[in-house]
């Protein structure tokens, strides 16, 4: 599968898929960013893509993003569908800072993967579910 990509910045490293290592692809800040605690900012990622019909990108923070930069992804997980593919449709990371922080061009702040859309289905109402009860929310313990 080939995906057409547009770079909005020549300062970031080109994306690459590393087969056999991870199927998540790192995204980088396309600008130097300074944020104060409590501030929200859309951080430009410097890329836009034409995803194939029937596919979407799931974008989440890297495991080290909070530790390194003190930012949270404000929408928990970003979903970029194939309709977001215009010439000006750059990808952004919606960041909320919990401490003062600096992010530099090329800092890896999030990652994405390409997923097929969920298959079509319908809901069928029932009075009983056939599975075994697990004990309710949070009932499996901590160890």
């Amino acid at each position: 599968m080939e995906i057409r990509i547009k770079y909005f910045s020549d300062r970031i490293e080109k994306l690459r898929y590393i087969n056999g290592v991870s199927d998540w692809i790192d995204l980088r800040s396309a600008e130097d960013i300074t944020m104060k605690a409590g501030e929200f900012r859309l951080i430009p990622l410097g890329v836009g893509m034409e995803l194939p019909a029937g596919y979407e990108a799931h974008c989440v923070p890297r495991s080290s993003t909070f530790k390194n930069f003190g930012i949270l992804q404000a929408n928990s997980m970003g979903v970029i569908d194939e309709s977001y593919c215009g010439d000006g449709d750059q990808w952004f990371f919606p960041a909320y800072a919990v401490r003062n922080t600096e992010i530099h061009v090329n800092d890896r702040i999030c990652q994405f993967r390409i997923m097929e859309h969920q298959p079509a289905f319908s809901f069928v109402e029932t009075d009983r579910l056939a599975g075994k009860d697990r004990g309710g929310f949070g009932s499996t313990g901590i160890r």
Side-chain angles (χ1 to χ4, degrees), residues 6-15 27-34 41 43-47 90 103-108:
K6 176 182 177 179
Y7 288 93
F8 289 82
S9 170
D10 59 1
R11 298 177 65 198
I12 60 171
E13 288 186 28
K14 304 289 188 202
L15 297 187
L27 292 166
R28 301 165 183 272
S29 177
E31 292 180 6
D32 290 323
I33 304 288
T34 300
R41 178 98 184 255
I43 300 175
L45 300 172
V47 298
Q90 179 176 193
I103 301 164
H104 301 287
V105 169
N106 265 319
D107 283 347
R108 296 178 296 158

Side-chain angles (χ1 to χ4, degrees), residues 14-25:
K14 304 289 188 202
L15 297 187
R16 63 186 199 276
Y17 180 78
I18 305 171
N19 195 18
V21 176
S22 174
D23 60 352
W24 289 84
I25 301 161

Side-chain angles (χ1 to χ4, degrees), residues 107-127:
D107 283 347
R108 296 178 296 158
I109 59 172
C110 57
Q111 58 192 338
F112 78 99
R113 70 188 310 185
I114 306 295
M115 303 289 294
E116 275 191 272
H117 287 188
Q118 180 169 274
F121 61 88
S122 61
F123 292 102
V124 178
E125 190 172 344
T126 183
D127 291 329

Side-chain angles (χ1 to χ4, degrees), residues 4 27 33-35 39 51-53 60 65 67 73-74 85 97 99 101 105 109-110 119 124 126 130 132 141-142:
R4 290 173 39 96
L27 292 166
I33 304 288
T34 300
M35 295 177 71
E39 185 179 352
L51 299 176
V60 298
T65 297
K67 175 181 67 95
Q73 185 169 348
C85 62
R99 61 174 165 83
T101 190
V105 169
I109 59 172
C110 57
V124 178
T126 183
K132 180 181 175 187
I142 59 173

